Amino acid sequence: MDPIPFSGSPLDREGVRRRDRAWLEALLADPASRFLPVWQAKPLLKRELRSLAWAKREFFADVEAPEPVFLGNGDGIAHFAVDVSAVEKPEVAFGIADVASFDDLRAAVALLPAADAAIAAHARTLVDWHARHRHCAACGGHTRSVLGGANRVCFDCQAEHFPRTDPVAIAVVVRGDQCLLGRGPGWPAQMFSALAGFVEAGESLEDAVRREVMEEAGVRVGRVSYLASQPWPFPCSLMLGCVAQAESEAIAIDPAELEEARWFSRDALRAALAGSRKDLGAPPPFAIAHHLIRAWVETDAGTE
Ligand SMILES: [Zn+2]
């Protein structure tokens, strides 16, 4: 399977050394350290060559911003993300409108180098989580960032809070030479993708796949095999990609979840992935569904 977009960051998160506050302080003050500004969940990207636009600390020294969060070390240089959401018209305020812009990551990912996409996903998710967890879920007190932003701790009750990750089960449902895909309400008429839903409390991944497929499409699933995962930073999901073996064929959709579900042959999906069918579109390569469908399509070609 090809590398999954948003995964595979080249940065070392330094899980042991980041416990050392003095070590982090030194990195924050190091003129070689690089900072990725994030404004209202949008990372700063260079306009010409689409890539992350790293800044020096002086870049945001005069604006209101929380302490930068540590993303990791790469090539001996510390990399941080900093939330500059409080700045109005940031491209103008920072004087960078000609060379860089804060862009929606979902729209930009297809143009970014794989390493930059993975770092941007980490930055987006972590900065967003800090912005939304300034108060303790246990006592309502104020929380502070610790371990370079890997956690937060409550000032009042000392409760530790960890960055939230929401698991999503996503599956291609297969039966012989057929694969079940669905189309959500409001999607383009020719667009079909793998069925997906949040894993609920007290539920295994396999149970979640079986429940989702039954709820959304009325199809009974037996064996579920895990294939690959993808961090999905909108805002904090982890897509858990599976292949599910169907034990029934009749489709009964839940119209609240799906507008349509259909069985497709390998040939039809092979053509859709290649972009050669106007009447059937596959998910884009930055979505794990694309890779799940491709893995199944290529199974009979002996590539898996
Ligand atoms: Zn508390």
Side-chain angles (χ1 to χ4, degrees):
M1 188 177 266
D2 294 332
I4 309 284
F6 295 131
S7 70
S9 169
L11 300 181
D12 180 345
R13 296 179 185 223
E14 300 276 14
V16 175
R17 286 205 286 182
R18 73 188 180 193
R19 295 176 197 153
D20 181 350
R21 181 71 211 167
W23 181 77
L24 279 168
E25 296 279 1
L27 292 181
L28 281 166
D30 187 338
S33 293
R34 309 168 93 190
F35 297 84
L36 179 66
V38 178
W39 182 78
Q40 299 189 1
K42 297 173 178 171
L44 187 62
L45 305 181
K46 293 181 187 170
R47 280 199 191 276
E48 286 292 315
L49 187 68
R50 298 265 76 181
S51 60
L52 300 179
W54 295 98
K56 298 288 185 192
R57 181 136 201 188
E58 300 80 59
F59 180 81
F60 57 93
D62 297 331
V63 305
E64 182 190 337
E67 182 174 295
V69 293
F70 180 62
L71 300 176
N73 276 335
D75 298 327
I77 297 170
H79 294 67
F80 294 85
V82 59
D83 185 357
V84 295
S85 297
V87 180
E88 284 185 39
K89 296 190 178 160
E91 285 105 345
V92 177
F94 289 120
I96 53 167
D98 291 344
V99 292
S101 56
F102 291 93
D103 286 317
D104 179 70
L105 183 55
R106 200 188 308 233
V109 60
L111 304 170
L112 283 177
D116 280 10
I119 293 168
H122 181 191
R124 187 191 197 282
T125 287
L126 197 55
V127 163
D128 177 76
W129 177 75
H130 280 281
R132 292 187 295 121
H133 291 78
R134 292 173 186 157
H135 290 89
C136 176
C139 78
H142 287 284
T143 59
R144 65 188 166 92
S145 173
V146 297
L147 306 179
N151 294 359
R152 294 184 77 85
V153 171
C154 177
F155 280 108
D156 293 342
C157 76
Q158 317 309 322
E160 278 185 284
H161 299 285
F162 297 88
R164 175 169 164 172
T165 298
D166 296 338
V168 175
I170 180 166
V172 287
V173 181
V174 302
R175 185 167 170 85
D177 186 49
Q178 299 286 306
C179 175
L180 178 75
L181 300 179
R183 192 160 65 73
W187 291 17
Q190 74 283 6
M191 176 71 189
F192 283 81
S193 187
L195 304 189
F198 287 107
V199 179
E200 295 193 348
E203 194 172 44
S204 73
L205 173 60
E206 294 85 347
D207 289 342
V209 169
R210 294 187 188 104
R211 176 183 53 75
E212 279 290 339
V213 175
M214 176 54 75
E215 282 176 6
E216 293 188 5
V219 170
R220 196 171 67 247
V221 161
R223 188 161 62 87
V224 175
S225 311
Y226 166 80
L227 266 191
S229 67
Q230 178 187 39
W232 187 249
F234 308 105
C236 54
S237 291
L238 178 63
M239 312 297 284
L240 301 165
C242 299
V243 177
Q245 303 292 329
E247 293 182 339
S248 66
E249 278 172 27
I251 294 169
I253 60 162
D254 170 2
E257 298 272 356
L258 292 181
E259 204 157 289
E260 192 180 359
R262 258 199 261 161
W263 292 99
F264 296 95
S265 69
R266 279 196 171 86
D267 286 344
L269 294 180
R270 190 176 289 118
L273 288 169
S276 57
R277 272 189 62 157
K278 285 201 168 58
D279 61 331
L280 178 59
F286 67 80
I288 191 174
H290 179 100
H291 299 268
L292 299 176
I293 295 168
R294 182 178 292 284
W296 176 73
V297 160
E298 292 177 351
T299 303
D300 72 339
T303 52
E304 192 192 44

